[in-house]
Amino acid sequence: MHSFQQQAGFPILTVMTFLPTLGALVMLALMRGRPQLYKSTALVTAGATFFLSLAMVLKFDQSSADFQFIEKVSWIERLGASYHMGVDGISVLLILLTTLLSLVIVPASWNYIKDRELTFFASFLFLETGMLGTFCARDLLLFYVFWEIMLIPMYFIIGVWGGPRRIYAALKFFLFTMAGSVLMLVAIVGIAYLARPDRYAAPVFDLDQLQKAVFSFPVQVAAFLAFFIAFAIKVPMWPVHTWLPDAHVEAPTAGSVILAGVLLKMGGYGIIRFCIPLFPDAAAAAVPYILILSIIAIIYGAMVSLVQKDLKKLVAYSSVSHMGFVTGGIFAFNVIGLSGAVLVMFSHGLLTGALFLLVGFMYERLHTREISLMGGLASPFPVLAAFLLFFTLASLGLPGLSGFIGEFLSLLGLFSYNKAMAVVAASGIILAAAYLLWMYLRVMFTGTRDEEWFKLSDLNLREIASLAPLAVLAVWVGVYPSTFLNIINPSVNKLVTQMAPYVAQHGGLLTHLFASRGGL
Amino acid sequence: MTPLQHYLALSVALFAIGAWGVMARRSIIVVVMSLELMLNAANIALVAFSNYSPGTPGRGEVFVFFVLAVAAAEVAIGLAIGIAMYRLRERLDVDELDELKG
Amino acid sequence: MTDYSTPLFYIVAAVVLIPAVLMVTFRNLIYSAAAMILCFIGVAMVFVTLNAELLAISQVLIYVGAISILIMFAIMLTRQRSGEIRLFFHRQAWLALPAALALAVTMAVVLSRASFSTTPGPRNPGTSDLSNLLFDQYAFPFELVSLVLLVAIVGAILLARRERRR
Amino acid sequence: MKAAVLLIPLLPLLSFAFTGLLGRRYLKERSHYVSVAAVGISWLLSMYVLVEVERGQTLSWQLYSWIAVGRFSVDIGFLVDQLTAVMLLVVSTVGFMVHVYSIGYMHGDKGYYRFFAYINLFMFSMFMLVLANNFLLLYVFWEAVGLCSYLLIAFWFPKRSAANAGMKAFLVNRVGDFGFSLGIMLIFITLGTLSYSGVFASASTLSGGMATAICLLLFTGAVGKSAQFPLHVWLPDAMEGPTPVSSLIHAATMVNAGVYMVARSNPLFAQSHTAMMVVAIIGTFTAIFAATIAMVQNDIKKVLAYSTISQLGYMFLALGVGAWTAAIFHLLAHGFFKGLLFLCSGSVIHALGGEQDMRKMGGLKRKTKITYWTFVIGALALSGFPGLSGFFSKDAVLTGAFAEGYWYFWIVALITVLLTAFYSFRLIFMTFHGEPRTDPKVFAHAHESPRVMTVPLILLAIPTVIGGLMLGIPPENGHIDRLLHHIFEAAIPAGEHVFGPLTLSLMIISALVGIAGILLAWHLYERCPWLPNAACKRAGRLYTLLLNKYYIDEIYAAVIINPLRGFCGWLWRFVDAGVIDGAVNGAGWLAMGAGRLLRPIQSGKVQGYLFSMFLGLLALMVAYLLFNI
């Protein structure tokens, strides 16, 4: 049993999750009006959380597949809900990503925010708590609580510090996610009650017991759909993605980085952690439909990005396209596909986070995100051009950088499930190269449009410092991915072996179904 | 003896006239007056029933007293409002007093 | 005694109904107020035919004496330029009459359909019976009504007071 | 040997990092020392490796396990055998010469350090591509090389045409790589491994259809990278980049990667005859197709670009008909003389201050002696003049095709020899002979390029002359055949080829055809220069068709690019903004609308309320009556 006592000596997960809140409260209470003080506190808090997560990763026992650093305290007796925190390979990787991005955005938005800076940093720290809690929660109710905690600060970040249409965007973001999570709440309560051993026992919210409970197929399908819709909105998958471009365009730089870097991973993580293990039959049955949706997402996202005029919208739609690989990889239900999906999540967080940082830096200088108003930025800002080139190439999947590994593995996983689907999905990499390079050409190359830009300063040390860790990690994942693969392998294998009987049983049914229609 | 139904018919007629007055007339005062009519109609019915029904006599009539009291209070308040309204708007037509519009 | 009650009832009914209709239709407020008084007297007569003398007298005292005068005062206080009294709503007037008639018809039908266990003739409750009921069984409502009246008085004074600029 | 193999790619990588990071502020015009030195050492090491391999020593060395996920395990490793050695020879020699040459050519350019940084990165990726020991690693550096070509084509990025050309090159390569990656996935799915040794050992287990599918997918990658017919459009535009880049990347090294990949996976191709035929057909068609366009081009570099496409067609023809060694021999020879030709054209452009249009050149013979003579040597080699390396390698290809019984390919190839000879000497006569057509001011101070540019020309001219004799004699089992025999033994068709009267007669025929081409060019452009214009006028539409490169670019734009862009625009406006957002905002509007609809009920008129109350009462009573609730 990997309880936190043996592994870390102190309840590392709880400390890590609630440290940012502590920092935020201290800042709010004592440091109003003293920018230098609260900015550095924010940096210190984010830094401390990052090092805690780093320590956790180092102490993480990569051989065992079950959950580690377990903390279990009964929370609401009568409801049977317990404060049960634990992490496995996949959550460790995503936690590392979250703390890194939260650390990186603090220096990046040092002078980006003009009004109410203190509450801006405080809301980010609250957001971080929500995110970390969601990744560590092993109890459905606790998970839902953190899921909602995460929503509120994000709403304010978009709503208060956003661009001109921020209210519409924030509201749309909130309502979309809310609709999904309310559905999920119904499902949570439903299965908690269904899973009770007998009529009078308390409902079961704890994931370990829930996984033992077996639900009938219709219940599984209903609950799976409820959970899946909530997570699909977060991913975002194709039909429910329209909130993402609006939210990104209006959100401040740091908001976009976290929104793209971490919040989108919630969807993928949720599917892996809840939809598949709890409702294996339904998951296996839903595979072809979800794969079709993810392929549409890949192609649709890429195509729409081709015609975007606003830089942030372009990157937002590219996120829709990249996340299509995630859902495609997950629902291929083999080790290669699933590890690919997790790696895409990790690398997409790094790359899109960096791209948004760069767009933010450009906005700070040119005060516009319209591609048509930019042109020839490479001459006045060579360092900015170099960084943007690096991250553009990484996100279009240039081999040797992190984007390629994840995408190739997910495609390979999809390929072994169904060749035709994989071929269509693979065409996504051509479209990705097209829209990203075309963006780079219109923004960086060709003649400099406006002479004053030469007077503006190139990236300063602070900005480079916020980009450097992301670049280093992007190269590390690209050149030596086994450090990250070893972390997630045990839990990926466990999930795939767990799903194998169901896929075999359902796989047959559905491929047969598809075959009869001369299908894929 | 005239059967109960006649009294009831009378009470219904009076009640209908009162209702008509309340709905049709524009001035508050006429509305209040028609309201009184309706109350009287009720009284007639009450007294008629109390007389024609078994049980301890006078049960209905007692109730009429209460109706009287309430009617008096009601008229007082109604007219007070009407006068206050008149002082504000110089006009007493009910259909122009619609500040509470939704 | 010969059976005068039925023709008497019709006369009394007429005394009640005709002024009521007039009241509603009169253009001038004073005339409609006068019609109302007549109608109240009619009602008092109905009480008499129902052997409820005490009620008849109280009816006359309260309605004819107090309330009508009150209404007269109100009419005086709100003297309007006589010219523009428009009798009815243009929009709703034509709807009100049929609605009232429909109401009357339905109530009549309902009442006729209903069956009451009725004793043959009108009974004659004396004043003592009334006072017994009023002061022991319904003592509490009696007190309550006094409270209602108190509130009404205070309210009326407050509302109708001429506003002093504070 | 192991250290040498590791150092060859490592040195350019380190010098890339060094020049790249320190170039802007510190090195500026001194940034070429480190990079040229690095490539020079790599060249020496490559020679050493070549000698070692000649002595029969090969190496297969696995550095570390790159990706290990379930059944899928790929590692970073080197494989050095005869084929790699030959490729190393070409890449390092031409690379070193181009580095030296660039010192002169790029002198004074603002992005001097950036040029050397990128070109070193290219050398690193090309070395790794050649040394890789599995398909995925090959794919990785396949794209890395594509990236360097993108960076170098768009080197002068303020120029819109250069930026567009760079993007076009990368995208067209990407289309090829799409097929290549699918091929790799298919290999893994069917054979379970991606390392060369593993794949080639179990190649025979592949079913016919699967083998064809894999080979064709791999071949799409080669078509993309080596600019064969459908995907050749990017190479002529790539001439926007500086000339040393065109010489190194777009003539000698990168474009040969496709040929190397097909040659390397010969056991796979041997399994499927149809795939071989497809390779041969596309190769032949591209050869003659590109040669016809090259005849009418007026830009000196465009002519050489189309000539490269055509010569690559030759190599694929050789691969397709099974003459594996001939293809590699031609690759080797072509690498040298085409690199030489490009560098000479660079020195011509340098002399005329950037002028590239041949119609504004002429009479440079007197002005640039060395460039002229090296150019002539290169052109002779290109057109297969007997004795030079081009002659032996092209002849090997032709005899290979004829001997295998594909006489129709042989005929088309022979016509192409004629066209090649014609356009190469048309180029010489227009540039060097006749009266100067440049404006006098420019022509006045046209001068021979500095020594740092002319020395590489001479050094490259030497192998062009003696290369053929060293490796090609006697044809069919010359030194190169013996060297590469071991590599291709799995794929070489049966039957012994001996140097008999047949091969001799074939050699004579191709030599005569070559010389005929030269004479034709001499007649048209030297003796009566007015003839070409008259011929063009009479040819009329055919001439314009060729001049506009068969309108391929316009066709692609009309068929693929514009409809795609239009569809995406519609997709975004209609589906995203219209349908989905419409539904979302619609729901919002619905709530608002319903509210607005119900608002008038609260009219504020007391009478209204009373009236509705009465109606309610009425309805209740009627209900009581009717249904006797």
Side-chain angles (χ1 to χ4, degrees):
Chain A
M1 216 337 224
H2 292 258
S3 75
F4 71 91
Q5 286 86 355
Q6 292 128 359
Q7 282 190 298
F10 65 101
I12 186 167
L13 287 186
T14 315
V15 167
M16 182 181 66
T17 309
F18 290 102
L19 184 59
T21 322
L22 184 70
L25 293 176
V26 162
M27 273 164 54
L28 283 170
L30 308 172
M31 299 169 186
R32 193 164 289 285
R34 287 201 290 277
Q36 259 338 0
L37 203 54
Y38 62 68
K39 277 192 201 164
S40 38
T41 330
L43 191 64
V44 162
T45 330
T49 326
F50 174 66
F51 283 116
L52 258 177
S53 66
L54 215 56
M56 181 183 70
V57 167
L58 298 178
K59 281 199 166 59
F60 185 77
D61 161 15
Q62 292 183 0
S63 58
S64 89
D66 47 30
F67 284 81
Q68 303 180 22
F69 305 103
I70 301 286
E71 290 167 34
K72 186 150 191 185
V73 168
S74 71
W75 175 24
I76 308 170
E77 288 304 330
R78 283 161 43 80
L79 271 180
S82 55
Y83 178 82
H84 181 185
M85 299 274 262
V87 278
D88 76 341
I90 299 172
S91 11
V92 158
L93 206 61
L94 293 175
I95 287 171
L96 192 66
L97 176 68
T98 319
T99 46
L100 175 67
L101 283 180
S102 311
L103 173 62
V104 153
I105 52 158
V106 172
S109 46
W110 215 275
N111 45 28
Y112 181 82
I113 301 300
K114 295 297 171 282
D115 49 2
R116 287 196 290 277
E117 225 176 358
L118 172 63
T119 35
F120 178 77
F121 286 113
S123 47
F124 263 101
L125 291 174
F126 284 127
L127 182 62
E128 188 173 3
T129 300
M131 292 188 282
L132 294 176
T134 329
F135 283 129
C136 304
R138 292 287 304 136
D139 176 295
L140 269 183
L141 209 59
L142 189 64
F143 167 78
Y144 188 77
V145 164
F146 278 117
W147 178 274
E148 292 306 321
I149 289 178
M150 194 174 54
L151 218 52
I152 319 291
M154 197 64 217
Y155 174 75
F156 285 120
I157 289 168
I158 298 176
V160 173
W161 290 281
R165 264 171 81 241
R166 54 183 179 278
I167 305 302
Y168 169 74
L171 203 59
K172 196 171 182 180
F173 160 79
F174 194 80
L175 287 181
F176 256 95
T177 332
M178 211 47 195
S181 50
V182 158
L183 252 169
M184 184 166 69
L185 182 60
V186 168
I188 289 176
V189 170
I191 61 169
Y193 272 86
L194 281 173
R196 282 177 310 177
D198 56 58
R199 261 170 57 73
Y200 305 102
V204 174
F205 283 106
D206 192 270
L207 267 177
D208 301 338
Q209 274 101 17
L210 271 177
Q211 261 161 352
K212 298 190 191 70
V214 176
F215 303 103
S216 68
F217 187 68
V219 164
Q220 275 202 18
V221 168
F224 174 82
L225 276 181
F227 271 91
F228 184 74
I229 290 171
F231 296 134
I233 289 175
K234 224 33 178 163
V235 164
M237 289 191 71
W238 174 58
V240 284
H241 66 288
T242 48
W243 61 274
L244 188 67
D246 294 327
H248 270 308
V249 164
E250 303 309 331
T253 321
S256 290
V257 169
I258 292 292
L259 183 63
V262 181
L263 291 193
L264 301 194
K265 312 310 175 278
M266 291 294 166
Y269 170 75
I271 292 173
I272 295 176
R273 178 69 69 238
F274 299 102
C275 283
I276 297 177
L278 293 181
F279 319 108
D281 283 311
V287 162
Y289 312 107
I290 296 169
L291 286 186
I292 292 171
L293 275 181
S294 9
I295 289 167
I296 296 176
I298 297 172
I299 305 298
Y300 178 88
M303 276 192 170
V304 170
S305 323
L306 263 172
V307 289
Q308 288 308 326
K309 309 250 176 320
D310 182 315
L311 215 50
K312 267 195 167 179
K313 262 205 164 114
L314 188 138
V315 180
Y317 276 113
S318 87
S319 308
V320 172
S321 172
H322 284 296
M323 296 313 274
F325 282 106
V326 172
T327 40
I330 292 174
F331 279 90
F333 282 137
N334 49 43
V335 175
I336 302 170
L338 199 57
S339 340
V342 175
L343 265 187
V344 166
M345 285 205 276
F346 186 68
S347 95
H348 174 267
L350 298 173
L351 303 179
T352 316
L355 280 178
F356 275 119
L357 280 176
L358 283 162
V359 169
F361 297 150
M362 280 205 274
Y363 185 80
E364 268 172 51
R365 286 168 176 70
L366 310 176
H367 299 297
T368 171
R369 284 191 292 271
E370 285 293 319
I371 298 175
S372 46
L373 300 178
M374 302 178 190
L377 287 177
S379 340
F381 311 112
V383 177
L384 179 75
F387 268 108
L388 185 63
L389 179 66
F390 175 84
F391 285 111
T392 318
L393 293 174
S395 65
L396 64 83
L398 185 77
L401 293 174
S402 63
F404 169 72
I405 309 282
E407 260 162 42
F408 187 78
L409 287 178
S410 336
L411 278 178
L412 196 54
L414 199 60
F415 201 87
S416 44
Y417 173 81
N418 178 312
K419 293 189 176 49
M421 282 194 194
V423 168
V424 173
S427 69
I429 61 170
I430 304 178
L431 290 169
Y435 69 76
L436 280 168
L437 285 184
W438 195 34
M439 174 273 286
Y440 194 77
L441 177 127
R442 284 179 296 170
V443 166
M444 286 298 164
F445 290 163
T446 68
T448 308
R449 186 181 292 277
D450 179 346
E451 289 323 313
E452 284 83 23
W453 289 341
F454 284 97
K455 291 198 268 302
L456 297 172
S457 67
D458 202 339
L459 288 188
N460 53 39
L461 209 56
R462 170 176 62 82
E463 284 158 345
I464 292 176
S466 55
L467 285 172
L470 302 178
V472 164
L473 262 176
V475 172
W476 186 351
V477 171
V479 171
Y480 192 72
S482 38
T483 38
F484 303 94
L485 285 173
N486 299 345
I487 296 178
I488 56 173
N489 263 349
S491 30
V492 163
N493 289 334
K494 181 179 128 189
L495 193 62
V496 171
T497 40
Q498 190 187 352
M499 274 305 289
Y502 297 96
V503 172
Q505 175 211 352
H506 267 282
L509 170 78
L510 273 131
T511 32
H512 163 68
L513 179 76
F514 262 80
S516 62
R517 272 195 282 107
L520 303 163
Chain B
M1 282 306 292
T2 53
L4 179 61
Q5 273 59 28
H6 290 198
Y7 286 101
L8 294 186
L10 171 67
S11 148
V12 160
L14 190 59
F15 185 83
I17 293 166
W20 173 41
V22 160
M23 284 194 284
R25 289 302 295 265
R26 283 164 51 83
S27 152
I28 269 191
I29 293 161
V30 176
V31 166
V32 167
M33 287 199 281
S34 327
L35 214 58
E36 287 317 309
L37 278 194
M38 291 164 78
L39 287 170
N40 282 345
N43 287 353
I44 292 171
L46 275 172
V47 170
F49 274 117
S50 91
N51 278 356
Y52 283 83
S53 60
T56 54
R59 187 173 290 283
E61 278 117 28
V62 166
F63 206 75
V64 169
F65 278 105
F66 297 126
V67 169
L68 281 177
V70 166
E74 191 267 333
V75 163
I77 298 292
L79 292 182
I81 292 175
I83 291 163
M85 201 56 74
Y86 176 79
R87 194 167 293 122
L88 273 175
R89 301 294 271 333
E90 292 303 324
R91 301 193 50 73
L92 264 183
D93 304 344
V94 171
D95 61 2
E96 279 158 14
L97 313 178
D98 57 3
E99 275 70 18
L100 291 178
K101 186 184 290 188
Chain C
M1 105 182 146
T2 62
D3 187 358
Y4 297 108
S5 59
T6 322
L8 176 67
F9 171 76
Y10 285 116
I11 296 159
V12 165
V15 170
V16 167
L17 290 180
I18 293 161
V21 170
L22 290 178
M23 185 204 90
V24 172
T25 50
F26 267 139
R27 180 172 306 284
N28 186 319
L29 287 184
I30 307 292
Y31 291 164
S32 60
M36 187 182 76
I37 294 165
L38 250 178
C39 173
F40 286 155
I41 293 163
V43 169
M45 287 158 66
V46 166
F47 286 157
V48 165
T49 58
L50 281 167
N51 309 333
E53 296 77 11
L54 177 66
L55 279 185
I57 295 152
S58 57
Q59 161 84 356
V60 168
L61 266 176
I62 295 172
Y63 269 108
V64 174
I67 294 181
S68 322
I69 307 307
L70 197 62
I71 290 178
M72 288 294 188
F73 277 136
I75 293 172
M76 299 306 166
L77 281 173
T78 59
R79 173 56 51 220
Q80 289 162 311
R81 278 160 307 287
S82 60
E84 346 79 14
I85 300 169
R86 258 187 298 106
L87 187 62
F88 296 120
F89 297 142
H90 48 81
R91 198 162 36 79
Q92 219 160 346
W94 309 115
L95 282 174
L97 190 58
L101 288 180
L103 190 72
V105 164
T106 5
M107 283 167 80
V109 168
V110 164
L111 287 174
S112 61
R113 184 83 68 66
S115 61
F116 307 104
S117 56
T118 54
T119 56
R123 289 186 6 265
N124 185 354
T127 320
S128 62
D129 307 331
L130 285 182
S131 53
N132 286 344
L133 282 173
L134 199 58
F135 292 108
D136 64 2
Q137 249 189 359
Y138 294 105
F140 177 69
F142 184 78
E143 299 308 331
L144 214 60
V145 162
S146 59
L147 193 65
V148 165
L149 285 175
L150 174 65
V151 162
I153 294 160
V154 169
I157 294 164
L158 264 176
L159 275 173
R161 201 159 38 85
R162 184 170 297 286
E163 201 61 49
R164 269 195 308 288
R165 291 288 161 278
R166 267 187 296 287
Chain D
M1 170 73 166
K2 257 193 178 170
V5 165
L6 184 64
L7 272 177
I8 292 177
L10 205 59
L11 285 173
L13 181 66
L14 295 177
S15 95
F16 156 69
F18 178 77
T19 325
L21 291 177
L22 306 176
R24 213 156 67 83
R25 258 179 234 87
Y26 309 103
L27 292 172
K28 288 199 183 56
E29 46 315 305
R30 294 184 304 283
S31 36
H32 60 270
Y33 290 112
V34 172
S35 51
V36 171
V39 173
I41 300 166
S42 300
W43 177 66
L44 283 174
L45 291 172
S46 310
M47 290 310 121
Y48 162 72
V49 163
L50 183 63
V51 165
E52 284 296 313
V53 164
E54 291 256 313
R55 295 220 310 277
Q57 210 194 12
T58 59
L59 166 76
S60 174
W61 174 28
Q62 191 239 335
L63 264 78
Y64 65 91
S65 158
W66 183 29
I67 307 177
V69 175
R71 280 188 308 113
F72 181 74
S73 90
V74 172
D75 44 55
I76 306 279
F78 294 127
L79 169 67
V80 181
D81 60 7
Q82 290 77 2
L83 182 57
T84 329
V86 166
M87 288 302 288
L88 278 179
L89 168 67
V90 173
V91 171
S92 55
T93 322
V94 176
F96 185 42
M97 289 304 117
V98 162
H99 270 72
V100 170
Y101 180 88
S102 316
I103 301 170
Y105 189 83
M106 297 303 285
H107 183 63
D109 188 298
K110 196 160 59 58
Y112 192 72
Y113 78 96
R114 202 155 50 90
F115 179 80
F116 279 99
Y118 287 160
I119 209 156
N120 274 354
L121 181 65
F122 171 76
M123 292 307 287
F124 159 69
S125 331
M126 198 59 204
F127 281 135
M128 285 302 287
L129 187 143
V130 169
L131 291 166
N133 77 342
N134 64 55
F135 275 99
L136 194 63
L137 200 57
L138 171 68
Y139 177 74
V140 165
F141 289 102
W142 187 272
E143 288 226 10
V145 164
L147 163 72
C148 303
S149 104
Y150 165 74
L151 292 172
L152 284 163
I153 296 171
F155 181 69
W156 290 311
F157 50 78
K159 208 157 70 134
R160 173 164 286 279
S161 58
N164 284 343
M167 186 179 78
K168 185 174 182 178
F170 193 88
L171 286 186
V172 173
N173 277 341
R174 193 73 178 194
V175 172
D177 298 350
F178 162 67
F180 192 11
S181 61
L182 286 179
I184 293 176
M185 290 189 207
L186 204 56
I187 292 175
F188 173 72
I189 297 297
T190 45
L191 300 177
T193 170
L194 280 179
S195 69
Y196 289 146
S197 46
V199 169
F200 301 146
S202 52
S204 47
T205 60
L206 282 175
S207 69
M210 188 58 80
T212 319
I214 292 178
C215 295
L216 285 183
L217 283 173
L218 293 181
F219 183 55
T220 43
V223 162
K225 192 61 77 180
S226 305
Q228 290 305 290
F229 168 64
L231 301 175
H232 67 288
V233 284
W234 63 275
L235 192 55
D237 294 355
M239 293 306 122
E240 289 290 329
T243 316
V245 168
S246 322
S247 150
L248 172 64
I249 298 179
H250 303 128
T253 49
M254 185 176 106
V255 286
N256 299 338
V259 178
Y260 164 74
M261 184 262 280
V262 172
R264 173 62 78 190
S265 34
N266 55 59
L268 280 176
F269 276 85
Q271 297 299 325
S272 125
H273 182 66
T274 38
M276 299 268 277
M277 273 309 104
V278 165
V279 169
I281 293 164
I282 290 197
T284 326
F285 177 73
T286 315
I288 189 153
F289 167 78
T292 50
I293 302 176
M295 279 201 304
V296 292
Q297 288 304 323
N298 293 320
D299 177 330
I300 190 167
K301 287 177 74 176
K302 286 260 175 15
V303 172
L304 292 174
Y306 278 106
S307 146
T308 310
I309 297 176
S310 165
Q311 297 304 317
L312 286 164
Y314 266 99
M315 297 179 207
F316 277 108
L317 161 62
L319 291 172
V321 296
W324 304 94
T325 36
I328 300 302
F329 185 20
H330 192 55
L331 179 148
L332 188 63
H334 174 264
F336 284 113
F337 65 70
K338 189 51 69 59
L340 171 64
L341 282 175
F342 263 108
L343 292 185
C344 297
S345 68
S347 123
V348 163
I349 295 166
H350 184 75
L352 293 175
E355 180 51 62
Q356 290 192 331
D357 187 337
M358 289 198 291
R359 286 167 300 193
K360 295 200 184 62
M361 299 183 186
L364 275 172
K365 192 166 126 183
R366 295 185 300 286
K367 288 276 182 170
T368 54
K369 270 272 170 280
I370 304 171
T371 317
Y372 171 64
W373 282 110
T374 44
F375 205 110
V376 166
I377 294 170
L380 284 173
L382 174 59
S383 43
F385 191 79
L388 287 138
S389 64
F391 171 74
F392 290 101
S393 65
K394 191 169 288 185
D395 181 65
V397 170
L398 289 174
T399 39
F402 193 85
E404 292 312 314
Y406 303 101
W407 53 270
Y408 34 87
F409 289 143
W410 181 74
I411 291 180
V412 171
L414 207 59
I415 303 166
T416 323
V417 165
L418 177 75
L419 300 180
T420 320
F422 173 74
Y423 67 64
S424 42
F425 275 82
R426 165 179 175 265
L427 193 142
I428 287 178
F429 294 131
M430 280 180 82
T431 348
F432 292 99
H433 292 250
E435 309 72 27
R437 290 182 293 278
T438 49
D439 59 50
K441 211 161 34 17
V442 168
F443 190 74
H445 54 70
H447 52 76
E448 181 52 286
S449 317
R451 285 179 50 73
V452 81
M453 285 169 74
T454 47
V455 163
L457 296 185
I458 299 160
L459 289 176
L460 274 178
I462 295 165
T464 322
V465 173
I466 59 164
L469 302 171
M470 266 169 45
L471 300 175
I473 301 289
E476 289 317 312
N477 55 20
H479 182 67
I480 192 157
D481 294 303
R482 284 195 304 283
L483 182 70
L484 294 176
H485 181 72
H486 160 68
I487 302 280
F488 300 119
E489 62 206 341
I492 288 184
E496 191 28 53
H497 295 283
V498 72
F499 174 74
L502 174 72
T503 40
L504 185 63
S505 51
L506 287 180
M507 282 172 86
I508 294 160
I509 295 168
S510 63
L512 289 178
V513 164
I515 294 159
I518 299 169
L519 291 178
L520 184 67
W522 177 73
H523 172 70
L524 274 179
Y525 285 91
E526 188 67 12
R527 270 235 335 234
C528 27
W530 68 89
L531 254 179
N533 303 353
C536 298
K537 253 186 256 23
R538 221 169 335 90
R541 259 183 328 93
L542 178 62
Y543 173 75
T544 43
L545 180 70
L546 290 180
L547 191 62
N548 297 325
K549 320 184 278 295
Y550 295 91
Y551 299 104
I552 299 281
D553 285 331
E554 292 72 16
I555 295 169
Y556 278 170
V559 167
I560 303 169
I561 298 165
N562 297 346
L564 181 72
R565 196 176 293 174
F567 175 66
C568 299
W570 171 82
L571 206 62
W572 178 41
R573 258 185 311 283
F574 176 68
V575 174
D576 218 60
V579 171
I580 301 175
D581 263 0
V584 169
N585 299 343
W589 180 84
L590 206 63
M592 286 277 294
R596 204 168 301 118
L597 214 64
L598 297 176
R599 201 170 139 273
I601 294 193
Q602 311 285 341
S603 66
K605 299 266 187 328
V606 174
Q607 253 50 18
Y609 298 154
L610 261 177
F611 187 68
S612 31
M613 273 192 272
F614 263 97
L615 288 185
L617 187 63
L618 205 64
L620 264 177
M621 281 198 272
V622 165
Y624 167 75
L625 278 178
L626 294 178
F627 310 109
N628 205 348
I629 317 168

